[in-house]
Amino acid sequence: MIGHDEAWAVWRAARAGQRMHHGWILAGREGLGKACFAREAAAELVAEAGVPQPPVDVHPDIHVLEPLPSNDDEAKKRDEGKAYTRKRNISVEQIRGVQRRLVTRPTLGARRAVIIDAADDLEKGAVNALLKSLEEPPAGTFFLLVTHQIGRLLPTVRSRCTVLRFHPLGVQDMARALAGAAPELGGAAREAAIAAGSGAPGAALAFAERELGGAWQLMTRIVTEGDGDLALRGELSTALGMRPDRERLLAAIEVARRVLVSALARCDDGARLRIVEAHAALAQLAAQAPTYNFEPALLLLEIGGLLASVARTRENAA
């Protein structure tokens, strides 16, 4: 948990008080470590002096709600400790299942915690069910709602919770986080991951795991040099694979957006509008890609074209 001293100070000050609020929203962009914070904070919250505490994932007084595996095959992968695909939402049945357990007293102490990771993923019915518990929380029960886009939460949910905000890490803290989590990552690959992460260690690690360093470098060259003969776009397609799956295409769009954000920090006034327009178009592609059946080659060509539109070329100068 590097770089979140302020959040820990607020949380522990609240714990030391006589009447700690029962609902907490952990807000900030995805990949900052909010879910890890929630688990460690919950472990501190429920701990009792002299009582051995099991790990968070099997603790009887810590309930973690997250999207379930998408089908039986994915559930088997989860049980085997492998990467698996999840459903898009946390269902109302999951919320009600936890609520049934909340009618009893905590098992090992006086407190228990319910972690929802992420609250952005709650179905509409699940939100309404959760509101009932937030309005009348069982004694000793505390809710930690991880959220990546707090604006998507209903005002009625936000009004019943204390908001704890998480901010992007600086470059030095990012380097420390990656050194601890991925010590094998070094040199240009680590620098690219830090830049792509934009202050979010989780995003940087996901970038590194997908081996997108080559794509980052090519996209940066397209933004800087242009790509009049389409040669760099051809190299980009090769770097991402001739038939990348949807997840890799979504990751490519996100990398392109991060490249533009990095370019915005060092551009002149003439390029700023082009970068903003290209970023908006990429954001629209990111919203469409999960549901539209894009041809991968054409989508990568579109991404490359948007990046090339930013470069200072004769056409742009004219």
Side-chain angles (χ1 to χ4, degrees):
M1 294 303 300
I2 295 172
H4 297 307
D5 294 344
E6 180 182 344
W8 277 117
V10 172
W11 172 261
R12 286 170 176 156
R15 278 192 58 216
Q18 294 185 351
R19 297 189 63 181
M20 183 177 179
H21 200 277
H22 69 277
W24 291 76
I25 292 173
L26 312 185
R29 58 164 293 206
E30 189 170 3
L32 290 176
K34 303 184 299 297
C36 292
F37 180 99
R39 285 161 170 79
E40 292 191 26
E44 284 191 4
L45 182 69
V46 303
E48 294 283 343
V51 179
Q53 300 291 313
V56 169
D57 290 340
V58 294
H59 199 296
D61 295 326
I62 299 177
H63 308 287
V64 181
L65 293 182
E66 53 192 1
L68 297 171
S70 58
N71 53 48
D72 291 341
D73 289 338
E74 298 303 318
K76 186 180 296 185
K77 292 179 184 178
R78 178 199 61 186
D79 296 341
E80 294 172 351
K82 300 177 181 178
Y84 63 95
T85 302
R86 303 170 187 248
K87 294 181 179 179
R88 292 187 178 181
N89 300 109
I90 297 172
S91 68
V92 63
E93 288 80 10
Q94 289 176 266
I95 294 292
R96 288 174 178 164
V98 166
Q99 288 173 328
R100 287 192 290 269
R101 301 175 67 178
L102 299 184
V103 299
T104 61
R105 294 176 58 85
T107 303
L108 299 180
R111 293 178 170 182
R112 66 182 147 210
V114 178
I115 299 171
I116 300 180
D117 182 16
D120 314 62
D121 298 328
L122 288 166
E123 292 178 348
K124 183 177 180 180
V127 174
N128 293 331
L130 175 64
L131 269 173
K132 296 179 181 178
S133 293
L134 291 175
E135 290 169 351
E136 300 179 6
T141 300
F142 297 83
F143 295 86
L144 291 85
L145 281 58
V146 176
T147 179
H148 311 313
Q149 300 180 56
I150 191 171
R152 292 178 59 184
L153 294 182
L154 292 177
T156 47
V157 173
R158 297 199 300 267
S159 67
R160 287 164 174 77
C161 297
T162 296
V163 177
L164 186 58
R165 296 192 180 275
F166 290 72
H167 305 289
L169 275 60
V171 173
Q172 291 184 346
D173 282 340
M174 285 286 289
R176 288 173 55 211
L178 286 184
E184 73 285 355
L185 192 67
R190 179 181 293 181
E191 291 180 9
I194 290 173
S198 298
L205 287 170
F207 173 90
E209 289 170 0
R210 291 185 178 276
E211 298 181 347
L212 293 170
W216 172 275
Q217 292 174 343
L218 287 166
M219 289 181 183
T220 301
R221 285 186 61 191
I222 293 173
V223 167
T224 305
E225 305 168 15
D227 188 29
D229 60 2
L230 306 184
L232 291 176
R233 270 168 272 192
E235 292 183 40
L236 180 62
S237 294
T238 301
L240 290 168
M242 298 310 296
R243 299 294 300 179
D245 59 23
R246 184 167 296 177
E247 292 300 317
R248 192 161 178 80
L249 288 172
L250 287 172
I253 296 173
E254 184 61 25
V255 171
R257 293 174 67 182
R258 298 295 173 199
V259 166
L260 291 180
V261 170
S262 295
L264 190 63
R266 59 179 185 275
C267 73
D268 56 29
D269 291 341
R272 185 167 288 110
L273 179 59
R274 297 198 299 272
I275 291 174
V276 170
E277 291 176 343
H279 190 277
L282 285 170
Q284 184 175 14
L285 278 181
Q288 295 172 342
T291 53
Y292 285 40
N293 189 23
F294 287 120
E295 169 61 35
L298 293 178
L299 181 59
L300 291 177
L301 194 65
E302 176 70 12
I303 294 170
L306 290 170
L307 295 173
S309 72
V310 171
R312 181 184 290 277
T313 62
R314 290 196 188 114
E315 292 80 5
N316 286 333

